[in-house]
Amino acid sequence: MLLLHSNYKKIDWSDPISLLVLDTVLSVSPSWLSPGTSVTLSCEVEHSSAGWRFYWYKTVPDLSGTSYSYELLPGSINGTEQDSYMIHGQTQTAGFTCRAGRGDPEYYTYYSEPTFVWSGAASLTVNPDTVQRFGFDSVSLSCEGNSTKWRVSRFTDDGFLFHCSFWGTMNGSTCNVNRMWYGNVVYWCESGSAFSNAVNITGQYNDGIILVSPVHPVTEGDSVTLGCKLRTQNVLSNVFFYKDNKLIQNDSRGEMSISAVSESDEGFYKCQYSGKESPQSWMAVKSSSSENSSFPVLLITGLVCGVLLIILLLLLCCYKQSKGEKFSDQFKITDVFLLLLINAVATEEFEIHKTC
């Protein structure tokens, strides 16, 4: 624009430029944790081009509002050239975010929206305890753990994240819900420093039918009963039950019981009655006690290793005796070996769970 006036100087304006602020999108794989699984974070920059460095963060709930703060993950302080980041040994529900930067001075994109991986360990309890609900069902979601302040969050299958204050009533550590969201929704608890486990609950229309199945994983060896329910009543007869889309039982009693659950029972279940079919829900099976079951094995392994060491020491004594050495010398040698063994155990350098 050009201004002409006796009291003004001539001013020439530069051509306009566009300032583009880029977004980043974070994806995680897998979204549900299982034992021994590594989590891969992938960060994508809108209108991507070369030269970006990527920064990786875990999210920390800010209970004073409805947001999160961010903490850099290890090895990310200077960014990474790779647009992916792997986390080993993640066992608990957690949230992550990323952003990218390039140039000198470095220009940064926006932070990505928080993305979550979920664990099914039991610290969020659901009452009534069934995965599928009708839209007008009342449900209580209760948080358990070492915290005096909690909030309950949910993530819908169309990608929206909301906290209990938007769709329920928070009373202490419990979120009371008077109306369920239709479709598949993940719920979890957040304290000031951590996340709880998560549960997947399916909301069904009121004129439909639902499968009655447990929210949390079933322990191997325990019994479980699956049922089929209309809005107004339990279905008592002529119910078809399916596992992984294969018919497994037509029960005149309207329920299906498994007396001792095994790993092979894990899968997607649904029921059918009078032309109506429930959504399918995943029933997970967990080991009865991996720690307790491994203890006898470790004990036996340790005893075997100990016996073999004693035999080796006796053979060594016999060998020394055949060479004509005194008993006191033999004792000193044996004593040294025993001291080394005790020291190794005390410093955890001797691992009895490994082979001798």
Side-chain angles (χ1 to χ4, degrees):
M1 181 174 62
L2 180 64
L3 299 177
L4 294 177
H5 194 279
S6 59
N7 295 328
Y8 292 92
K9 294 182 179 180
K10 178 181 176 181
I11 301 176
D12 291 323
W13 295 87
S14 66
D15 293 331
I17 61 171
S18 297
L19 180 61
L20 181 63
V21 179
L22 300 178
D23 287 327
T24 51
V25 177
L26 178 67
S27 59
V28 299
S29 179
S31 56
W32 284 92
L33 296 170
S34 57
T37 301
S38 297
V39 178
T40 301
L41 311 181
S42 299
C43 196
E44 181 181 354
V45 180
E46 184 183 17
H47 308 297
S48 181
S49 58
W52 291 102
R53 296 189 68 83
F54 297 89
Y55 298 83
W56 310 92
Y57 305 83
K58 68 176 181 180
T59 61
V60 179
D62 179 7
L63 299 189
S64 62
T66 57
S67 61
Y68 301 89
S69 59
Y70 306 124
E71 293 182 2
L72 276 166
L73 290 171
S76 182
I77 189 169
N78 295 317
T80 64
E81 294 181 356
Q82 295 76 27
D83 61 359
S84 62
Y85 183 97
M86 185 168 288
I87 300 173
H88 302 284
Q90 184 69 39
T91 59
Q92 300 296 322
T93 297
F96 301 98
T97 191
C98 71
R99 68 171 177 169
R102 70 176 180 182
D104 187 14
E106 197 164 15
Y107 162 81
Y108 297 99
T109 63
Y110 286 132
Y111 288 94
S112 68
E113 290 294 325
T115 306
F116 298 89
V117 292
W118 294 296
S119 166
S123 56
L124 168 61
T125 57
V126 183
N127 187 29
D129 181 18
T130 181
V131 175
Q132 297 180 19
R133 308 298 173 90
F134 291 106
F136 289 103
D137 283 353
S138 296
V139 178
S140 295
L141 306 166
S142 299
C143 306
E144 300 175 0
N146 297 323
S147 179
T148 58
K149 189 173 183 181
W150 294 93
R151 72 181 177 199
V152 178
S153 300
R154 77 179 184 193
F155 190 82
T156 60
D157 53 5
D158 51 1
F160 290 99
L161 171 65
F162 292 104
H163 305 298
C164 178
S165 57
F166 289 94
W167 43 267
T169 303
M170 200 73 193
N171 182 13
S173 60
T174 299
C175 178
N176 297 306
V177 188
N178 293 323
R179 182 170 180 174
M180 300 300 297
W181 184 272
Y182 295 113
N184 295 317
V185 182
V186 181
Y187 296 86
W188 68 93
C189 297
E190 298 175 352
S191 69
S193 60
F195 300 87
S196 78
N197 68 296
V199 296
N200 198 338
I201 297 177
T202 301
Q204 173 67 306
Y205 293 102
N206 295 301
D207 59 350
I209 193 169
I210 64 171
L211 173 75
V212 180
S213 62
V215 171
H216 292 294
V218 183
T219 304
E220 279 185 313
D222 287 356
S223 62
V224 66
T225 299
L226 306 181
C228 211
K229 185 178 181 181
L230 296 169
R231 170 68 179 159
T232 54
Q233 63 181 16
N234 290 327
V235 179
L236 302 178
S237 62
N238 300 323
V239 179
F240 297 88
F241 289 94
Y242 294 81
K243 177 179 180 288
D244 299 327
N245 289 320
K246 294 181 180 180
L247 179 65
I248 54 174
Q249 182 172 308
N250 178 11
D251 200 317
S252 60
R253 296 170 299 169
E255 62 182 23
M256 188 188 78
S257 296
I258 304 173
S259 58
V261 173
S262 66
E263 186 179 352
S264 62
D265 294 314
E266 189 171 75
F268 284 101
Y269 289 83
K270 64 182 178 181
C271 66
Q272 188 182 76
Y273 170 76
S274 189
K276 293 184 176 182
E277 187 174 275
S278 74
Q280 64 176 4
S281 290
W282 178 262
M283 188 179 79
V285 177
K286 65 179 180 179
S287 173
S288 57
S289 177
S290 58
E291 292 184 1
N292 290 339
S293 62
S294 65
F295 177 74
V297 176
L298 296 178
L299 180 61
I300 292 171
T301 305
L303 290 174
V304 171
C305 291
V307 170
L308 289 176
L309 284 172
I310 291 172
I311 293 173
L312 288 174
L313 292 174
L314 289 174
L315 290 173
L316 181 62
C317 289
C318 293
Y319 174 77
K320 292 296 184 181
Q321 189 174 13
S322 67
K323 295 294 185 179
E325 294 187 13
K326 296 179 180 180
F327 178 79
S328 59
D329 293 332
Q330 299 166 18
F331 177 79
K332 289 178 182 179
I333 295 172
T334 305
D335 194 34
V336 168
F337 273 96
L338 288 175
L339 287 174
L340 289 174
L341 177 61
I342 294 170
N343 181 67
V345 172
T347 57
E348 298 183 354
E349 294 175 358
F350 182 75
E351 303 174 74
I352 63 172
H353 66 279
K354 294 185 177 179
T355 58
C356 298

